[in-house]
């Protein structure tokens, strides 16, 4: 390899390290694999990535990923805007929808508080949540974070955030196994955790 090709290869391997759980060795293996066996698919990957970067943005109401200003759920006028379920990630919305147990709206924090790094609230979109609530018809907040250290820390920060606000606040019941990420919980258990949600505080200031 001449030095220019070497540079392009190293640049690719370095770029692939941006993916979660990919260290230098895996990144090198991926780069070899793409260049040796999957050149056509690699071009599709580039196209798909560019299109997604151009077209996918945050929903102006719930903060999930969507194309256009509002996601399908926020744009659906048959949903009950009085109940707002707060979740970590867009995948949690899909799981809740699949469990068919929540006809209200969502807010997606796009992260959770990493307790190993302290209680850094900048990991969750609290500012956007505050904006979302301003002037809305929301009456109840359902905290649907996981029962992991991060999920519990996030739930704690959220309940503090809502402490002096006039909303009824509840959290999913502990039917979900301890340490359980919501994405590994089956639909029936998820639905039960929503129906049996635990009241944190009543509505009213
Ligand atoms: Zn939305």
């Amino acid at each position: 390899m001449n030095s220019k090709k070497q540079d392009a290869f190293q640049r690719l391997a370095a770029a692939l390290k941006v993916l979660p759980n990919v260290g230098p060795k895996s990144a090198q293996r991926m780069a070899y694999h793409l260049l040796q066996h999957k050149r056509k698919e690699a071009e599709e990957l580039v196209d798909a990535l560019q299109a997604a970067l151009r077209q996918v943005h945050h929903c102006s109401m719930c903060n999930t990923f969507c194309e256009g200003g509002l996601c399908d759920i926020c744009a659906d006028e048959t949903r009950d805007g009085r109940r707002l379920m707060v979740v970590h990630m867009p995948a949690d919305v899909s799981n809740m929808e699949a469990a068919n147990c929540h006809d209200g709206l969502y807010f997606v924090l796009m992260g959770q508080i990493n307790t190993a790094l302290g209680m850094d609230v900048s990991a969750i979109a609290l500012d956007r949540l505050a904006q979302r609530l301003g002037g809305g018809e929301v009456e109840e907040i359902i905290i649907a974070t996981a029962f992991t250290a991060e999920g519990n820390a996030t739930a704690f920060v959220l309940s503090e955030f809502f402490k002096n606000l006039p909303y009824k606040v509840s959290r999913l019941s502990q039917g979900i196994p301890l340490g359980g990420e919501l994405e590994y919980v089956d639909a029936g258990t998820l639905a039960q955790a929503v129906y049996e949600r635990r009241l944190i505080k009543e509505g009213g200031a």
Side-chain angles (χ1 to χ4, degrees):
M1 270 190 200
N2 67 32
S3 69
K4 210 165 183 186
K5 279 183 185 160
Q6 182 69 36
D7 284 349
F9 181 84
Q10 294 302 349
R11 188 178 159 205
L12 174 60
L16 287 166
K17 276 197 299 180
V18 77
L19 296 167
N21 303 317
V22 174
K25 284 221 164 83
S26 307
Q28 284 221 343
R29 273 200 298 275
M30 285 179 187
Y32 278 129
H33 183 72
L34 287 170
L35 295 171
Q36 180 65 30
H37 304 292
K38 301 281 177 189
R39 294 186 85 99
K40 205 165 153 271
E41 290 83 350
E43 280 182 20
E44 166 57 17
L45 180 63
V46 171
D47 270 2
L49 193 53
Q50 281 180 337
L53 285 171
R54 246 187 343 261
Q55 293 163 27
V56 179
H57 300 283
H58 291 283
C59 170
S60 61
M61 270 180 84
C62 73
N63 201 37
T64 195
F65 285 133
C66 74
E67 300 186 31
L70 277 186
C71 72
D72 291 346
I73 294 174
C74 291
D76 180 352
E77 289 177 357
T78 67
R79 310 274 315 198
D80 188 343
R82 290 171 300 178
R83 280 193 305 284
L84 187 73
M85 183 179 280
V86 181
V87 299
H88 289 306
M89 299 303 292
D92 298 329
V93 174
S94 313
N95 292 338
M96 282 294 169
E97 288 298 288
N100 203 16
C101 56
H102 175 64
D103 66 351
L105 296 173
Y106 295 92
F107 185 84
V108 184
L109 295 166
M110 286 290 178
Q112 51 187 339
I113 290 174
N114 186 335
T115 41
L117 301 175
M119 298 290 273
D120 181 6
V121 299
S122 68
I124 60 176
L126 273 186
D127 291 354
R128 285 190 77 129
L129 177 56
Q131 262 174 30
R132 161 68 178 87
L133 292 167
E137 53 173 345
V138 177
E139 291 173 9
E140 180 182 359
I141 305 285
I142 302 167
I143 299 174
T145 60
F147 289 96
T148 56
E150 289 79 9
N152 289 336
T154 306
F156 173 77
V157 167
L158 287 171
S159 46
E160 287 295 302
F161 174 80
F162 286 115
K163 207 175 195 169
N164 298 314
L165 296 174
Y167 309 102
K168 180 178 173 183
V169 179
S170 56
R171 188 179 177 195
L172 296 191
S173 79
Q174 288 270 13
I176 290 174
L178 223 56
E181 292 284 359
L182 297 193
E183 60 183 312
Y184 304 121
V185 176
D186 66 272
T189 308
L190 204 51
Q192 196 182 1
V194 175
Y195 295 136
E196 295 175 356
R197 59 189 181 271
R198 187 169 51 81
L199 184 70
I200 294 177
K201 78 179 212 17
E202 290 286 359

